[in-house]
mmCIF file of all heavy atoms in Angstrom:
data_model
loop_
_atom_site.group_PDB
_atom_site.id
_atom_site.type_symbol
_atom_site.label_atom_id
_atom_site.label_comp_id
_atom_site.label_asym_id
_atom_site.label_seq_id
_atom_site.Cartn_x
_atom_site.Cartn_y
_atom_site.Cartn_z
ATOM 1 N N GLY A 4 -20.544 71.237 23.577
ATOM 2 C CA GLY A 4 -19.286 70.462 23.534
ATOM 3 C C GLY A 4 -18.065 71.361 23.505
ATOM 4 O O GLY A 4 -18.120 72.535 23.067
ATOM 5 N N SER A 5 -16.913 70.790 23.910
ATOM 6 C CA SER A 5 -15.635 71.433 23.872
ATOM 7 C C SER A 5 -14.655 70.526 23.169
ATOM 8 O O SER A 5 -14.890 69.321 23.060
ATOM 9 C CB SER A 5 -15.110 71.714 25.297
ATOM 10 O OG SER A 5 -16.028 72.497 26.069
ATOM 11 N N THR A 31 -13.211 73.090 28.633
ATOM 12 C CA THR A 31 -14.051 73.160 29.805
ATOM 13 C C THR A 31 -13.281 72.540 30.996
ATOM 14 O O THR A 31 -12.814 71.418 30.883
ATOM 15 C CB THR A 31 -15.383 72.401 29.600
ATOM 16 O OG1 THR A 31 -16.111 73.020 28.551
ATOM 17 C CG2 THR A 31 -16.216 72.419 30.889
ATOM 18 N N ALA A 42 -4.641 69.903 47.024
ATOM 19 C CA ALA A 42 -3.164 69.957 47.259
ATOM 20 C C ALA A 42 -2.549 71.250 46.744
ATOM 21 O O ALA A 42 -1.600 71.760 47.285
ATOM 22 C CB ALA A 42 -2.506 68.738 46.629
ATOM 23 N N LEU A 163 -1.731 79.661 40.855
ATOM 24 C CA LEU A 163 -3.036 79.081 40.569
ATOM 25 C C LEU A 163 -4.008 80.117 40.057
ATOM 26 O O LEU A 163 -4.736 79.894 39.067
ATOM 27 C CB LEU A 163 -3.580 78.385 41.826
ATOM 28 C CG LEU A 163 -4.885 77.630 41.682
ATOM 29 C CD1 LEU A 163 -4.783 76.495 40.672
ATOM 30 C CD2 LEU A 163 -5.350 77.094 43.041
ATOM 31 N N GLY A 204 -17.122 66.395 25.090
ATOM 32 C CA GLY A 204 -15.838 66.835 24.669
ATOM 33 C C GLY A 204 -15.226 65.828 23.678
ATOM 34 O O GLY A 204 -15.492 64.635 23.759
ATOM 35 N N ILE A 226 -4.178 53.761 37.551
ATOM 36 C CA ILE A 226 -3.266 54.832 37.990
ATOM 37 C C ILE A 226 -3.080 54.680 39.508
ATOM 38 O O ILE A 226 -3.925 55.169 40.299
ATOM 39 C CB ILE A 226 -3.816 56.232 37.642
ATOM 40 C CG1 ILE A 226 -4.150 56.329 36.173
ATOM 41 C CG2 ILE A 226 -2.834 57.298 38.075
ATOM 42 C CD1 ILE A 226 -2.971 56.156 35.228
ATOM 43 N N PRO A 230 -2.095 59.023 48.776
ATOM 44 C CA PRO A 230 -1.830 60.297 49.462
ATOM 45 C C PRO A 230 -0.601 60.236 50.333
ATOM 46 O O PRO A 230 -0.316 59.175 50.910
ATOM 47 C CB PRO A 230 -3.117 60.514 50.309
ATOM 48 C CG PRO A 230 -3.596 59.113 50.566
ATOM 49 C CD PRO A 230 -3.280 58.298 49.352
ATOM 50 N N ASN A 264 8.467 70.365 54.404
ATOM 51 C CA ASN A 264 9.157 69.246 53.724
ATOM 52 C C ASN A 264 8.998 67.949 54.512
ATOM 53 O O ASN A 264 9.859 67.045 54.435
ATOM 54 C CB ASN A 264 10.659 69.557 53.551
ATOM 55 C CG ASN A 264 11.276 68.633 52.504
ATOM 56 O OD1 ASN A 264 10.593 68.234 51.528
ATOM 57 N ND2 ASN A 264 12.545 68.312 52.659
ATOM 58 N N SER A 268 2.530 59.027 56.001
ATOM 59 C CA SER A 268 1.452 58.238 55.490
ATOM 60 C C SER A 268 0.311 58.261 56.479
ATOM 61 O O SER A 268 0.410 57.731 57.603
ATOM 62 C CB SER A 268 1.948 56.749 55.290
ATOM 63 O OG SER A 268 0.887 55.990 54.806
ATOM 64 N N ASP A 296 12.884 81.512 69.033
ATOM 65 C CA ASP A 296 11.828 82.313 69.659
ATOM 66 C C ASP A 296 10.810 82.860 68.651
ATOM 67 O O ASP A 296 9.945 83.666 68.999
ATOM 68 C CB ASP A 296 12.483 83.449 70.420
ATOM 69 C CG ASP A 296 13.330 82.965 71.604
ATOM 70 O OD1 ASP A 296 12.898 81.987 72.255
ATOM 71 O OD2 ASP A 296 14.382 83.539 71.836
ATOM 72 N N SER A 333 4.491 67.142 41.633
ATOM 73 C CA SER A 333 5.264 68.396 41.394
ATOM 74 C C SER A 333 4.468 69.339 40.516
ATOM 75 O O SER A 333 4.915 69.808 39.478
ATOM 76 C CB SER A 333 6.616 68.105 40.786
ATOM 77 O OG SER A 333 7.412 67.364 41.642
ATOM 78 N N ALA A 372 9.064 41.374 37.224
ATOM 79 C CA ALA A 372 10.493 41.075 37.187
ATOM 80 C C ALA A 372 10.893 40.211 38.392
ATOM 81 O O ALA A 372 10.292 40.214 39.403
ATOM 82 C CB ALA A 372 11.297 42.372 37.221
#
Side-chain angles (χ1 to χ4, degrees):
S5 303
T31 296
L163 184 61
I226 306 298
N264 200 31
S268 179
D296 295 322
S333 295

